C-alpha cells in the first residue's frame, strides 16, 4: 500500500520504494527563534505580503507561505503516481482531482488542532481567524493548557464559535468523508503523524490534527463513466487528469460515491497540517487506519501538563472527525 507523501518540487520520473518517500524539510524560521525586529522589517518591505498577511503572520508567530493552486497540486499528485506506479499504469487510468487551496499556518508548540482550524477559516470567513485568539478561548473554556486538543468535541465547539458556517462532530466513515469532500466541504481529522507527517500507527503517541481540503482518485478507465468525465474539467496539459466540478449534480455525486467506495485503495486525500507548509497526499485507507489506532497520549504527554480526557485519547479522538460545511445546503 502506498502511504503518502508531501507534494514538494516535482522530481524526474522514476520508481520509488516506500523508503524513498521524501522527508519534510526543517520547519521555517519563527519569531520565537529569530530576531523579531528583522522579521517584521522584512515582512513590511516584501511586496508579496499585504498588511493583513503581515498582521496574521506576526500574531501567529510564524511566517505564512503563498497559497498554491488546484492545478499545481494535482499535477504534482500525477507525478507522484508516475513515480510509484509507472507511466504505463498511470496512463491507463482516469485521474479525478479536487483541491481547495489553503494558506499554510505553521504551529508554535502543540497547537496542531488550533492551527488546522485557523487554516480552515481562510476558506470559510472573510477575515481569517488568528490562532492565538482560538488558543485564548480554548484556555478560557478549559479545553487546553498549551494548545493541545485531545477532545474532538471541544475542537468542534471552538470551530462552531469561530467559523461562519455549520460544523458537525461525526464518527469517521470513509463514505461520509469523501461524500463531504465531493461537496467541497472541509474535514478536520486526528491521526498519528510519521516523520514526513504522513499517517502512521503509533497508538496515538504521535497524534496530530490535519485539515483535508480535497481528494485525488486513480481509477481504471473502464470504470469511469462518460457522465463523470464530461462534467469534470480536463487539465490543459495532462490528458487523463480531470478536475471535479465546482457544482456537481446529485446524480453524479451518488455515482461517484459508489465508484470511490468500490475503489477505496485508489483514493488519496490532500491534507494540510501545522508542521509543514507543503500539501500532503495521503492514502485514505491509511489515514482512517491511523485515526482508528489513537488510544493513548503516551508518557511524553503527562496529564498534569495537558488536558487529557478520562478515557485518554481513545475517548477523545479515536474514530472521530469534524465536518465543516462550506456549502450550507449540504
Amino acid at each position: 500500500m502506498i502511504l503518502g507523501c508531501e507534494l514538494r518540487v516535482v522530481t524526474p520520473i522514476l520508481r520509488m520504494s516506500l523508503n524513498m518517500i521524501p522527508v519534510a524539510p526543517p520547519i521555517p524560521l519563527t519569531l520565537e527563534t529569530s530576531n523579531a525586529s528583522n522579521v517584521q522589517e522584512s515582512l513590511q518591505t516584501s511586496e508579496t505580503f499585504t498588511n493583513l498577511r503581515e498582521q496574521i503572520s506576526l500574531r501567529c508567530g510564524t511566517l505564512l507561505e503563498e497559497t498554491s493552486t488546484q492545478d499545481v497540486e494535482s499535477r504534482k499528485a500525477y507525478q507522484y503516481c508516475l513515480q510509484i506506479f509507472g507511466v504505463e499504469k498511470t496512463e491507463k487510468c482516469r485521474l479525478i482531482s479536487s483541491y481547495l487551496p489553503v494558506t499554510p499556518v505553521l504551529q508554535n508548540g502543540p497547537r496542531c488542532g488550533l492551527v488546522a482550524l485557523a487554516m480552515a477559516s481562510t476558506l470559510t470567513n472573510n477575515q481569517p481567524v488568528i490562532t492565538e485568539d482560538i488558543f485564548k478561548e480554548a484556555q478560557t473554556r478549559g479545553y487546553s493548557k498549551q494548545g493541545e486538543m485531545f477532545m474532538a468535541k471541544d475542537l468542534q465547539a471552538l470551530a462552531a464559535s469561530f467559523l461562519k458556517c455549520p460544523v458537525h462532530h461525526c464518527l469517521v466513515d470513509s463514505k461520509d468523508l469523501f461524500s463531504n469532500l465531493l461537496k467541497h466541504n472541509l474535514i478536520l481529522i486526528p491521526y498519528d503523524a510519521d516523520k514526513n507527517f504522513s499517517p502512521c500507527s503509533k497508538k496515538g503517541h504521535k497524534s496530530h490534527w490535519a485539515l483535508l481540503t480535497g481528494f485525488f482518485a486513480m481509477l481504471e478507465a473502464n470504470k469511469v463513466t462518460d457522465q463523470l468525465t464530461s462534467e469534470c474539467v480536463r487539465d490543459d496539459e495532462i490528458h487523463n487528469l480531470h478536475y471535479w466540478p465546482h457544482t456537481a449534480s446529485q446524480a453524479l455525486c451518488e455515482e461517484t460515491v459508489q465508484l470511490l467506495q468500490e475503489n477505496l485503495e485508489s483514493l488519496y486525500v490532500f491534507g494540510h497540517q501545522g508542521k509543514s507548509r507543503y500539501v500532503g497526499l495521503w492514502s485514505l485507507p491509511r489515514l482512517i487506519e491511523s485515526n482508528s489506532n489513537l488510544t493513548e497520549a503516551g508518557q511524553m504527554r503527562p496529564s498534569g501538563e495537558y488536558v487529557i480526557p478520562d478515557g485518554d485519547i481513545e475517548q477523545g479522538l479515536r474514530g472521530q472527525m469534524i465536518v465543516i460545511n462550506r456549502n450550507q445546503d449540504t
Side-chain angles (χ1 to χ4, degrees):
M1 179 188 297
I2 305 304
L3 304 185
C5 69
E6 284 195 328
L7 299 179
R8 298 192 278 168
V9 178
V10 176
T11 56
I13 298 174
L14 75 161
R15 290 184 177 274
M16 297 174 62
S17 69
L18 292 181
N19 293 331
M20 295 174 63
I21 293 176
V23 177
I27 296 176
L29 198 63
T30 68
L31 294 182
E32 292 182 353
T33 58
S34 65
N35 187 316
S37 61
N38 290 342
V39 174
Q40 184 172 4
E41 181 180 356
S42 66
L43 278 173
Q44 292 173 342
T45 57
S46 173
E47 295 180 357
T48 62
F49 286 86
T50 64
N51 290 334
L52 174 61
R53 288 174 64 81
E54 290 174 14
Q55 294 170 14
I56 294 174
S57 299
L58 293 173
R59 291 184 66 187
C60 286
T62 305
L63 303 183
L64 299 181
E65 297 295 324
E66 292 298 316
T67 304
S68 186
T69 60
Q70 175 174 252
D71 57 346
V72 168
E73 298 305 333
S74 299
R75 290 168 187 168
K76 289 179 183 178
Y78 166 77
Q79 291 290 340
Y80 177 71
C81 289
L82 290 177
Q83 294 169 352
I84 297 298
F85 301 107
V87 176
E88 183 177 358
K89 181 175 181 179
T90 302
E91 290 297 309
K92 289 181 179 179
C93 291
R94 293 291 178 267
L95 309 175
I96 311 297
S97 183
S98 175
Y99 172 69
L100 295 172
V102 178
T103 301
V105 181
L106 299 180
Q107 68 189 73
N108 291 327
R111 300 185 180 186
C112 53
L114 308 184
V115 162
L117 176 53
M119 284 190 279
S121 75
T122 67
L123 295 171
T124 62
N125 295 13
N126 292 330
Q127 293 288 341
V129 178
I130 307 303
T131 306
E132 187 66 24
D133 293 343
I134 309 174
F135 174 53
K136 291 178 180 178
E137 183 64 20
Q139 283 188 314
T140 299
R141 297 187 185 190
Y143 293 166
S144 178
K145 292 183 179 180
Q146 300 185 44
E148 76 287 349
M149 293 301 300
F150 290 130
M151 283 287 288
K153 289 183 178 179
D154 290 346
L155 187 59
Q156 183 272 334
L158 290 171
S161 297
F162 283 97
L163 301 184
K164 305 299 184 183
C165 60
V167 181
H168 307 285
H169 172 263
C170 307
L171 297 180
V172 172
D173 174 79
S174 60
K175 183 177 180 180
D176 186 38
L177 193 154
F178 57 69
S179 293
N180 275 285
L181 293 179
L182 287 175
K183 298 172 184 176
H184 302 289
N185 290 328
L186 310 175
I187 305 290
L188 292 170
I189 186 168
Y191 73 106
D192 263 337
D194 211 341
K195 292 181 180 179
N196 67 347
F197 312 118
S198 294
C200 67
S201 296
K202 301 289 185 180
K203 297 183 178 180
H205 295 192
K206 298 295 183 180
S207 57
H208 196 43
W209 278 95
L211 171 68
L212 308 183
T213 68
F215 68 91
F216 188 89
M218 184 176 178
L219 305 170
E220 294 180 18
N222 60 1
K223 295 182 179 180
V224 178
T225 65
D226 292 338
Q227 180 187 5
L228 176 55
T229 54
S230 64
E231 291 199 35
C232 291
V233 179
R234 179 176 291 183
D235 184 80
D236 293 335
E237 299 178 5
I238 302 171
H239 74 93
N240 61 334
L241 174 59
H242 303 265
Y243 299 114
W244 182 251
H246 293 293
T247 304
S249 65
Q250 183 64 27
L252 181 62
C253 286
E254 292 176 357
E255 172 193 319
T256 306
V257 165
Q258 181 63 33
L259 178 62
L260 296 179
Q261 185 77 1
E262 295 171 355
N263 296 273
L264 200 58
E265 292 296 328
S266 301
L267 186 60
Y268 298 82
V269 290
F270 290 109
H272 287 267
Q273 46 77 40
K275 293 186 177 180
S276 174
R277 66 181 183 270
Y278 298 105
V279 184
L281 181 69
W282 305 327
S283 161
L284 178 57
R286 187 71 181 98
L287 177 62
I288 293 175
E289 178 184 328
S290 178
N291 171 271
S292 68
N293 107 113
L294 301 176
T295 57
E296 57 187 35
Q299 296 181 355
M300 298 299 292
R301 295 163 170 170
S303 58
E305 298 179 16
Y306 300 94
V307 177
I308 299 176
D310 292 337
D312 215 316
I313 65 172
E314 181 171 9
Q315 175 184 327
L317 300 178
R318 184 183 183 188
Q320 301 171 60
M321 65 181 184
I322 299 166
V323 176
I324 301 170
N325 287 80
R326 295 177 65 248
N327 300 311
Q328 299 192 26
D329 58 341
T330 61

